[in-house]
Amino acid sequence: MKILGLGSIAIDRIFTVDRLPVKDGFSNIIDEKIYDGGSCANVINQIAMYGGDTAFCAKIGDDESSKIIKKGLEKSGINSKYMITKENGISTSTIIYVDKNGDKSILTRLGDCLLNLTKDEINKKIFEEFDILYTDFIPSDACLYAAKEFKKRGKTVVFNLQVAPIVMKGFGMTDEIFSELFNYIDVFNISFSTLKDITGLSNLNENIDFIRENYKYNGDIVLTLGSKGGCVCTADDFIMQPSLKIEPIDTTGAGDSFIGTFLYWHYVKNENFEQSLRYSNTAAAITCTRKGARSGPDLNELIYRIKEGF
C-alpha cells in the first residue's frame, strides 16, 4: 500500500514563551527551535515512521528553508522525487508560539511556491504508482485535479480539513471547490471544533447530518474531539475511542499524528476502526508530550505504549 501526500509542507520555528502574545502585550521567549512542518507533510512523516511506503509532492523554492525541507523528507525516508523546485523561490515557513500549557499561536509566511503549484507540474505517474492520496487541499486547484485522477482509477482519497473553509480561501479554496471535492474523497478528516465552524451547530449528530445532507457525502468521517478522543462515522455506524489523560507540553501536530496513525493502521495494516482509533489516540497523546509537529512515536514505541496502557 503506497501513500502519496500532496499538500502543505513547511519549516516551523517554534518559540516557547511564558505567555502567548497579545496586542500591546509582552512575552518572554524561553526557548526556540527549528522543526520540519506543514500539516500534510507531518501526516506522511508519521506514516513513514511506522515503515509505510510514502512519497510527497509539493512545490518548494531553493532558499535555506527549502534545503531543510528536502533534508527532512530524506531523513524520514519519504520519497521526494515528485517534489517540484522553483528557482529563487521562497518556501513556506511558520512561527509558532507555545506556552507552558501547550496552547499555541501560529503565524505563516506562505512564500511564493506552495500555492503556485499547478496541475501541469504534477508528475502523472503518481496516479498509477500510488494507492492512496492524502491531501489537505493546499493548493486547492492542483489537489482537486489529483483527487479526480485518483478517484477515476478507483483509488482512495483522504482529505484533512485543518481550518475552516473561510481560512482555506486564502489557499485557493472556493465554495464551489469545497462542495465539489466531496465527490472524490473517501475519508473526510476534521476536528469537531472546525466542523462546528462550518455548520454553526453544536450537537455532534447534527453536524454529521449537515455534512451528509448538504454535500451529499456518504464516505467515512474521521473526527478528532480534543480531550474527548476521536471517532469514525461511517454511513451506518459510529465508533468512538476516548482520549488518554496527559499533561500537554506542545499540541502542535497532534492532529497530524492522529490521522497519520489512523491511515497506517486501518489502510496499511487492515485494522478495524476501533483498534485504529486506539492507536491514533495514543500517538496523538505522545505527540502532545513533546515539542515539534513531528514528535510522534515510531512503531516500536507506539506498540510498547499500547501494551503498557500508556
Side-chain angles (χ1 to χ4, degrees):
M1 189 67 68
K2 302 181 70 172
I3 302 174
L4 176 77
L6 175 60
S8 61
I9 191 166
I11 292 302
D12 295 336
R13 291 175 170 83
I14 298 183
F15 295 86
T16 303
V17 295
D18 58 352
R19 62 182 61 83
L20 293 180
V22 296
K23 182 180 179 180
D24 296 327
F26 185 88
S27 302
N28 287 314
I29 296 174
I30 300 168
D31 184 40
E32 60 179 281
K33 284 189 169 60
I34 296 177
Y35 297 94
D36 296 298
S39 177
C40 189
N42 296 339
V43 173
I44 298 303
N45 178 78
Q46 187 61 65
I47 297 169
M49 287 182 70
Y50 298 140
D53 191 345
T54 61
F56 204 83
C57 177
K59 191 173 185 177
I60 59 174
D62 55 5
D63 57 350
E64 283 304 311
S65 292
S66 304
K67 294 174 184 177
I68 297 172
I69 286 172
K70 280 192 172 181
K71 286 182 180 179
L73 292 174
E74 293 168 2
K75 181 180 178 181
S76 298
I78 300 169
N79 189 336
S80 62
K81 73 176 183 179
Y82 297 110
M83 296 289 288
I84 298 101
T85 300
K86 176 184 177 182
E87 187 177 355
N88 298 320
I90 299 171
S91 289
T92 300
S93 61
T94 65
I95 294 176
I96 303 175
Y97 298 101
V98 182
D99 68 12
K100 61 184 178 181
N101 298 315
D103 294 324
K104 60 184 180 291
S105 179
I106 302 175
L107 304 175
T108 301
R109 184 188 186 191
L110 288 172
D112 60 0
C113 297
L114 182 66
L115 297 186
N116 293 323
L117 174 67
T118 67
K119 66 180 184 180
D120 294 332
E121 293 175 303
I122 296 175
N123 191 322
K124 307 303 185 288
K125 291 181 180 179
I126 66 172
F127 306 132
E128 308 302 334
E129 183 175 346
F130 295 93
D131 306 294
I132 298 174
L133 171 66
Y134 173 84
T135 179
D136 55 10
F137 271 76
I138 299 175
S140 295
D141 282 334
C143 293
L144 182 64
Y145 162 70
K148 290 179 181 179
E149 294 299 320
F150 268 77
K151 194 67 174 179
K152 280 181 187 177
R153 293 160 174 81
K155 299 186 176 186
T156 300
V157 179
V158 181
F159 168 44
N160 182 4
L161 180 63
Q162 285 284 316
V163 294
I166 191 170
V167 179
M168 287 290 291
K169 287 184 178 180
F171 304 131
M173 179 73 78
T174 64
D175 292 337
E176 291 75 20
I177 290 177
F178 188 71
S179 295
E180 184 182 357
L181 64 85
F182 284 96
N183 295 318
Y184 311 113
I185 64 175
D186 302 281
V187 180
F188 179 39
N189 175 226
I190 187 172
S191 72
F192 187 38
S193 60
T194 302
L195 182 57
K196 289 188 290 185
D197 287 340
I198 296 173
T199 67
L201 304 169
S202 57
N203 179 271
L204 178 58
N205 290 330
E206 289 179 348
N207 274 270
I208 298 300
D209 290 342
F210 182 96
I211 296 297
R212 301 282 190 214
E213 294 169 7
N214 284 269
Y215 299 107
K216 305 297 184 290
Y217 178 64
N218 294 316
D220 296 332
I221 300 174
V222 180
L223 272 174
T224 52
L225 304 169
S227 61
K228 293 183 180 179
C231 66
V232 177
C233 306
T234 69
D236 51 16
D237 201 2
F238 180 88
I239 306 99
M240 183 169 181
Q241 278 282 328
S243 64
L244 301 168
K245 293 184 178 180
I246 59 168
E247 293 294 331
I249 293 176
D250 178 11
T251 59
T252 306
D256 301 331
S257 177
F258 177 96
I259 189 60
T261 302
F262 178 84
L263 294 178
Y264 177 79
W265 287 100
H266 184 61
Y267 286 101
V268 179
K269 305 301 289 185
N270 295 313
E271 287 283 359
N272 60 33
F273 286 138
E274 185 175 8
Q275 186 71 355
S276 298
L277 285 172
R278 185 183 178 206
Y279 284 122
S280 298
N281 282 340
T282 302
I286 293 170
T287 303
C288 288
T289 63
R290 302 168 180 165
K291 292 181 181 179
R294 298 189 189 179
S295 58
D298 61 19
L299 189 58
N300 290 334
E301 181 183 11
L302 181 64
I303 292 174
Y304 173 79
R305 293 289 193 103
I306 289 285
K307 288 180 178 178
E308 293 297 311
F310 193 77

